[in-house]
Amino acid sequence: MSAAPLDGVRVLDVSTLFAGPLAATFLGDFGADVIKVEHPLKPDASRGHGPAKDGVNLWWKTLGRNKRTVTLNLGQADGAAVLLELVRTADVLIENFRPGTLERWGLGPDALLAANPALVIARVTAFGQFGPYSARPGFGSLAEAMSGFAALTGEPDGPPTLPPFGLADGIAALATSYAVMVALRSAEATGRGQVVDMAIIEPILMLLGGQITAFDQLGTVQARTGNRSVNNAPRNVYRTADDEWVAISTSSQSIAERVMTLVGRPELVDEPWFSSGHSRAQHADELDEAVASWVAARPTAVVLEEFERAQAAVAPVYDVRGILADPQYAALGTVQTVDDDELGPVKMQNVLFRLSETPGSIRFSGRPHGHDTDEVLDEIGITAQQRAALRERGIL
């Protein structure tokens, strides 16, 4: 098997919580040597998010996988000096401090690029590096609100709805890892690094479709439609006879025709308005009633079998138990079991995609705070005696 595609790329992850660290995880999954730098007394706050077992945080086992962990107080001059030594050996640095923080510590882009002219510096913040909001604290939830996502989510007569997980952070993490790869390609060609300015409010906005262009050209403002879509119908979740739920979508015309034929309403296919998703969406009440009544009369297994036989699109609405039992996820290897020094075997999501020649892998799960400090600093020539002195002064 060939080496991992990012083998030889070193990433310094000095970010906290989700968007920046998750971007570093994506890079580590495909072979990058990710060094997670945390404050000696204040670990990444994500270590305290979500459930724990015997005092061991469980989300960190996924978020921190494939990362060596180092403690370093960057706010002290000697800590900043150690980071600059690490920078000389690195290809990428990911940070998410408020704009101006690294500069105040003498670690702004000028200093980092002076130490390593080919370095890619990814700066991940809520609002970006400039503008009237740039100095504000912010999290993904604010991006979900400002982007229009919350305004579109929820029932028509209900409040705007935020997701119960870090959606905007996750989207920004994907965008950041892509931006880093683009910048690395440029550095490979030119020998010059650069700064990636990633504002969490922007990538999620891109995924919300053509609402800006529609407002610009038509003056329309998209409203909340619950599980329905303004672009096609039927599209909803439907309760089965055994009190479970299935999701049905008809984004293509042929699928819409198959669904209505299957549920015993083929005459609707001949209606003039049935010929496009947009016009079908204007008749969602009638279409939903036909589909819902058919689904409600049958158990989930029968609904899924009949839809598969008709080559129509359907999926069960899973919680985590359904995911772990599903044969498609099992065939893809979407969930992997990883040996962990603290917890033993641990299940987690696999890497994002499969490469035929240079696949990614989970080499190890998230490690304890500062687990690899001595190993990493030894690699850059900081002796055991020097490390002891730095520890004494709270730098490590």
Side-chain angles (χ1 to χ4, degrees):
M1 186 181 293
S2 302
L6 297 183
D7 189 32
V9 173
R10 174 168 283 188
V11 177
L12 303 180
D13 174 11
V14 302
S15 57
T16 60
L17 288 174
F18 302 115
L22 188 55
T25 302
F26 293 149
L27 298 172
D29 283 351
F30 286 89
D33 174 22
V34 180
I35 298 172
K36 173 73 177 178
V37 179
E38 300 172 83
H39 191 281
L41 301 179
K42 298 180 228 176
D44 187 330
S46 64
R47 290 181 182 269
H49 276 247
K53 179 182 178 182
D54 300 330
V56 178
N57 182 265
L58 299 180
W59 171 222
W60 175 254
K61 292 301 174 183
T62 300
L63 185 63
R65 71 191 190 193
N66 294 332
K67 298 181 183 182
R68 297 194 286 168
T69 60
V70 168
T71 58
L72 193 59
N73 186 343
L74 302 182
Q76 299 295 320
D78 286 344
V82 172
L83 185 74
L84 286 175
E85 288 304 310
L86 283 169
V87 163
R88 295 182 208 283
T89 71
D91 302 281
V92 180
L93 181 141
I94 301 174
E95 65 98 359
N96 70 335
F97 298 103
R98 285 200 221 176
T101 301
L102 283 186
E103 286 83 352
R104 191 169 68 249
W105 295 339
L107 293 170
D110 289 349
L112 296 173
L113 290 169
N116 182 349
L119 185 71
V120 171
I121 306 166
R123 313 194 78 174
V124 185
T125 57
F127 305 110
Q129 293 295 312
F130 55 91
Y133 302 165
S134 60
R136 293 182 181 179
F139 301 99
S141 296
L142 306 190
E144 289 145 13
M146 283 185 63
S147 65
F149 173 86
L152 294 176
T153 306
E155 294 301 319
D157 56 353
T161 304
L162 296 170
F165 64 98
L167 176 64
D169 283 304
I171 295 170
L174 287 165
T176 300
S177 59
Y178 169 61
V180 165
M181 296 308 301
V182 171
L184 281 174
R185 178 67 183 89
S186 175
E188 184 182 82
T190 67
R192 297 191 304 275
Q194 60 184 301
V195 175
V196 173
D197 180 4
M198 180 61 64
I200 297 174
I201 60 173
E202 291 184 302
I204 188 172
L205 182 61
M206 183 62 181
L207 296 192
L208 288 175
Q211 60 174 337
I212 289 176
T213 307
F215 180 76
D216 174 62
Q217 296 296 308
L218 302 173
T220 58
V221 177
Q222 188 173 334
R224 285 191 292 284
T225 55
N227 289 318
R228 288 179 173 176
S229 169
V230 297
N231 298 312
N232 72 83
R235 190 262 201 184
N236 214 324
V237 295
Y238 305 90
R239 192 191 296 267
T240 64
D242 46 358
D243 205 29
E244 295 181 349
W245 295 86
V246 295
I248 294 169
S249 180
T250 56
S251 295
S252 73
Q253 183 66 24
S254 61
I255 295 291
E257 293 172 4
R258 290 173 199 163
V259 168
M260 299 318 298
T261 301
L262 172 63
V263 302
R265 297 296 303 275
E267 76 279 3
L268 294 177
V269 175
D270 297 325
E271 293 286 348
W273 50 261
F274 199 88
S275 61
S276 77
H278 182 70
S279 57
R280 290 200 312 272
Q282 296 169 25
H283 294 261
D285 286 343
E286 184 175 3
L287 296 172
D288 265 350
E289 182 182 355
V291 175
S293 60
W294 186 91
V295 169
R298 292 160 176 82
T300 304
V302 172
V303 171
L304 298 177
E305 287 168 8
E306 292 293 323
F307 264 74
E308 184 174 356
R309 187 175 295 116
Q311 298 186 53
V314 67
V317 176
Y318 282 153
D319 61 19
V320 67
R321 293 168 294 186
I323 294 166
L324 290 175
D326 186 87
Q328 182 62 31
Y329 280 130
L332 294 173
T334 305
V335 177
Q336 291 289 296
T337 300
V338 181
D339 288 329
D340 180 77
D341 290 340
E342 295 176 290
L343 298 173
V346 176
K347 283 185 169 61
M348 64 181 65
Q349 301 94 316
N350 202 352
V351 300
L352 281 176
F353 47 85
R354 288 162 292 282
L355 297 179
S356 63
E357 300 301 320
T358 55
S361 65
I362 305 170
R363 301 182 298 284
F364 51 87
S365 56
R367 290 175 170 174
H369 182 229
H371 179 275
D372 304 287
T373 300
D374 287 317
E375 175 184 274
V376 170
L377 297 193
D378 186 62
E379 290 172 1
I380 59 171
I382 296 178
T383 66
Q385 185 177 3
Q386 291 170 317
R387 296 196 299 271
L390 290 169
R391 280 196 173 93
E392 227 176 275
R393 289 160 38 222
I395 304 299
L396 301 184

